[in-house]
Amino acid sequence: MWPAGPSPAGTMDEKSSLHGAGGTVTVIAEKEKGLPGGGLRRPTAAADSSLNWRAAIPQVLASVAALSLTLHAGVNMAFPAIMIPQLEDTDSPFKIDRDSASWIAAVVAVTTPMGSLLAGPVMDWAGRRAACLAPAAPLVLAWLLLPLAAGPLPGVGLVYASRALAGVGAGLSTAAGVYVSEVAHPSLRPALLCLNSVFVAAGILLTACLGAAASWSWLAVVFAALAAASAVAVALLAPESPHWLLSMAPAQQLERRTALARQALRRLNKDERMMEASWDRLVANSPVLPQQQQPKADEEGERLLPRRRLRGVAAFLEPATAKPMLILSALFVVQQLSGTYVIIFYAVPLFAEMGSRVGTTLDEYGVMVIMSVVRFVMSLVTALLSHRFGRRPMLIVSGLGMAACSVAAGATLVTAPASAPAPAAAALAANATSTARSVLSSGEVFEASWPPLAFVVLFVLFSSIGYLVMPWTLVSELLPLQSRGMGSGLLVSLAYLFMFGVVKSFPYTMAAVGARNVFYMFGGMACAGTVFVFFCLPETLGRSLGEIEAIFVKKSESARGRDSKASS
């Protein structure tokens, strides 16, 4: 029931009813004398008191628990960079070639869309919390298969199966972003959504650090234990999304859903005033309307599951969903073609190809660790800055920095002179491990120098404040509630399909055009993405989810108004 405190001056209270699939709940709605006809309006949120850190703790814990499983998305990206060179060693339990190596890197990007597509229906029909728990099972099984491939059942087939299951688990973790966007206070939402990229960066860093000291089979045991621990944290710390309970839960009566939603909000908001303000915001955005305002077409039967599915599909044709889907799809294309992820998948072989050994202490593994540390630190910085600077400025700075660093990295690569004495040429060729170079070898041998490696690290730095983070964050912000579950799953599926195409083709692209031209291509795509963001992406900072949805609806209505005036 909506809170019914003393009516403000100039208003009076009037009872009305909320009708849903399972019953009716009597509520108190304000009737304002100043409105024509004394019309009813929804209760508006009380003035929001500032959220102190004590009141924020339950929301932070719930968000961290839900997002902790996204750590494995980062592990999935960095794991091939550790595993492939070890499999090419002479003492490996089985051998792989260039094609096998590319499949080990890319197969996770094939199956991740399957998990993402499955995450949408699970979120909408079983609940956001159940969807946050779902990734644990395939992830634990995936990591436990790898010790078998290294011991009793050696062979690349089990590795493919493990990577495929890990991709499904990573795809299912899409639900975490949607969950956080619905349980977090508006002032916390930008920073908490950015924790998604913090966990991904943590997964990359953890893999790089452990991979420098342990075999891939032992790493798999560690990651299986982490996945199980994350599932326990979600079960203990994350209540169900109040948005889902009130608006989308299919099988319970409205009165029961209302009670559960208030109970979940109370767990997330220990301060009573904050809880009531959050409840008012929730009700204001709920599709359940007072009876006087409810269209006849929205009868009780229309809220049953089959009809809701049809309305969910139809929502993708409406401007509030179609426009964000197109914008986000374009952002994901730029994200992949600008090299933000392929550098992570092939970090060790790529640095080996570039001549990564600097002196006697820093090899390609050391450069990968440095890159991973930079990415993790910058993801934390991005999370802290996200509530002060908008998405658009951070993406624009990110794109310009990536473009400059990509071009500089390509320009500073120095090809070893063909006339070099045989011993010197042999030393340059051995600058990185021959096995690491074989996967991405373009036939060129580059001199060992620090500038191109430094520019790649700077490229990672700039990508971490924008294109590595913001597209995933915007998925949970731009899409409206009615299509957020299915839409986020579809978009993440598309993103990973784009990723698969880039990761699978990257070794062959390197062999065809060379490392220098690849970096020039990355720079060109980063420039194109910057132009797109400047002209097409609306700002979301400081806006509620309802206000963000209204941006696309108002633009569509304005365009229709101009068209009708022109035709008349």
Side-chain angles (χ1 to χ4, degrees), residues 453-504:
L453 302 177
F455 283 122
V456 171
V457 173
L458 286 174
F459 172 91
V460 172
L461 184 151
F462 279 107
S463 68
S464 297
I465 65 174
Y467 278 94
L468 270 170
V469 180
M470 295 305 173
W472 308 104
T473 301
L474 288 168
V475 167
S476 299
E477 288 188 319
L478 294 185
L479 292 176
L481 176 64
Q482 61 183 340
S483 57
R484 194 173 300 148
M486 295 291 291
S488 62
L490 180 59
L491 280 168
V492 173
S493 298
L494 290 173
Y496 275 93
L497 287 176
F498 300 151
M499 186 186 296
F500 165 74
V502 173
V503 172
K504 185 69 175 71

Side-chain angles (χ1 to χ4, degrees), residues 532-554:
F532 176 80
V533 168
F534 182 82
F535 286 104
C536 300
L537 181 68
E539 184 55 71
T540 63
L541 181 65
R543 291 187 168 106
S544 69
L545 296 177
E547 291 170 339
I548 295 170
E549 179 180 351
I551 294 173
F552 300 102
V553 175
K554 288 178 180 178

Side-chain angles (χ1 to χ4, degrees), residues 204-231:
I204 295 170
L205 177 60
L206 183 62
T207 305
C209 293
L210 294 179
S215 68
W216 53 269
S217 58
W218 278 108
L219 261 64
V221 175
V222 173
F223 296 141
L226 288 176
S230 294

Side-chain angles (χ1 to χ4, degrees), residues 190-195 197-198 374-391 394-395 398 460-470 473:
L192 291 179
L193 283 175
C194 285
L195 289 180
S197 292
V198 172
V374 168
R375 191 189 187 292
F376 177 71
V377 171
M378 289 309 300
S379 66
L380 289 172
V381 171
T382 302
L384 294 174
L385 295 178
S386 60
H387 70 286
R388 299 180 64 89
F389 301 96
R391 309 304 196 206
M394 295 182 75
L395 279 168
S398 175
V460 172
L461 184 151
F462 279 107
S463 68
S464 297
I465 65 174
Y467 278 94
L468 270 170
V469 180
M470 295 305 173
T473 301

